[in-house]
Amino acid sequence: MPRTAESDTSVDWGRVEQSWGRAFPSDYRRFIDSYGAGGVEDCLGIVAPENRQEPPASPYGGMIHETANAEGAWGRIPKAAEAAGLDPVLIAWGVSCAADILCWDASAEDPATWPLLVYNRNDNLWRRYDCGVVEFLVRVIRAEFDDCPLGDESFWGAGSALFLNEAEERRRIEQGLDPWTGGPDPFAGMSFG
């Protein structure tokens, strides 16, 4: 997943982590510092870290909002055997176009040991994955799980994937391009109001 642009996500990690009461995993920190928040193949959003003591940076689908969604879904959605009986501290780091929610179980003190908990809305099931964010993305791109952990299989087993951070996607749209194909956007300049 080659970078298409420098990261556009500026993070005061100390303040963000203090607001959540824990450090974040280093692979996620490096991903955000290198790529930024944005989308993988227009179907998986990697959310920006948000300071929990400030108003959400994103009015829809940001870390604070998606964590609240995950907390609400945890209590009422069935769990696979490997996730049954857990009482996790959830922090969302991603959301898919199929409305899946991707979280850490941030219960442990060492963020390097946090498993991922993924709510696959199509299966209506929470599953646990013992890997970090970057390994998870690589394993989805290479189809290295027994089954696709996401409700949308757009980049499952694709071998490579396109990532656009929010600024790069916006730049392409402003140039009249479809950000995901790079071709002309047939709706560029149209108003739908």
Side-chain angles (χ1 to χ4, degrees):
M1 193 168 71
R3 264 189 341 186
T4 56
E6 295 294 318
S7 175
D8 63 334
T9 308
S10 176
V11 181
D12 181 339
W13 287 107
R15 287 180 47 88
V16 167
E17 292 173 338
Q18 188 235 359
S19 78
W20 289 89
R22 53 201 20 98
F24 282 22
S26 61
D27 70 324
Y28 172 77
R29 289 174 55 134
R30 285 191 308 272
F31 184 94
I32 293 297
D33 289 344
S34 181
Y35 286 83
V40 180
E41 291 296 331
D42 199 22
C43 73
L44 177 65
I46 310 298
V47 299
E50 294 179 313
N51 187 323
R52 206 171 198 181
Q53 297 168 343
E54 296 175 1
S58 173
Y60 53 92
M63 181 175 275
I64 294 169
H65 179 81
E66 291 303 336
T67 297
N69 286 339
E71 290 167 343
W74 182 262
R76 59 183 169 72
I77 303 298
K79 285 91 179 155
E82 74 277 1
L86 295 178
D87 185 20
V89 173
L90 297 171
I91 301 175
W93 59 267
V95 64
S96 81
C97 62
D100 305 322
I101 307 172
L102 298 88
C103 304
W104 293 289
D105 175 355
S107 301
E109 192 168 316
D110 181 1
T113 65
W114 292 356
L116 303 184
L117 295 173
V118 176
Y119 169 45
N120 181 316
R121 190 171 296 266
N122 288 1
D123 294 343
N124 196 40
L125 192 68
W126 281 97
R127 293 193 186 280
R128 175 186 165 134
Y129 298 92
D130 290 313
C131 60
V133 170
V134 172
E135 182 181 343
F136 180 85
L137 294 174
V138 169
R139 292 180 70 187
V140 170
I141 292 168
R142 295 180 179 168
E144 293 179 349
F145 293 111
D146 291 339
D147 298 301
C148 183
L150 303 173
D152 180 275
E153 296 185 8
S154 295
F155 65 99
W156 170 249
S160 65
L162 176 63
F163 177 85
L164 296 178
N165 65 36
E166 293 166 356
E168 179 61 12
E169 183 175 1
R170 206 170 29 255
R171 184 190 70 76
R172 290 179 181 200
I173 290 169
E174 289 168 358
Q175 289 183 331
L177 301 173
D178 178 301
W180 297 98
T181 67
D185 183 351
F187 303 108
M190 296 177 116
S191 176
F192 299 97

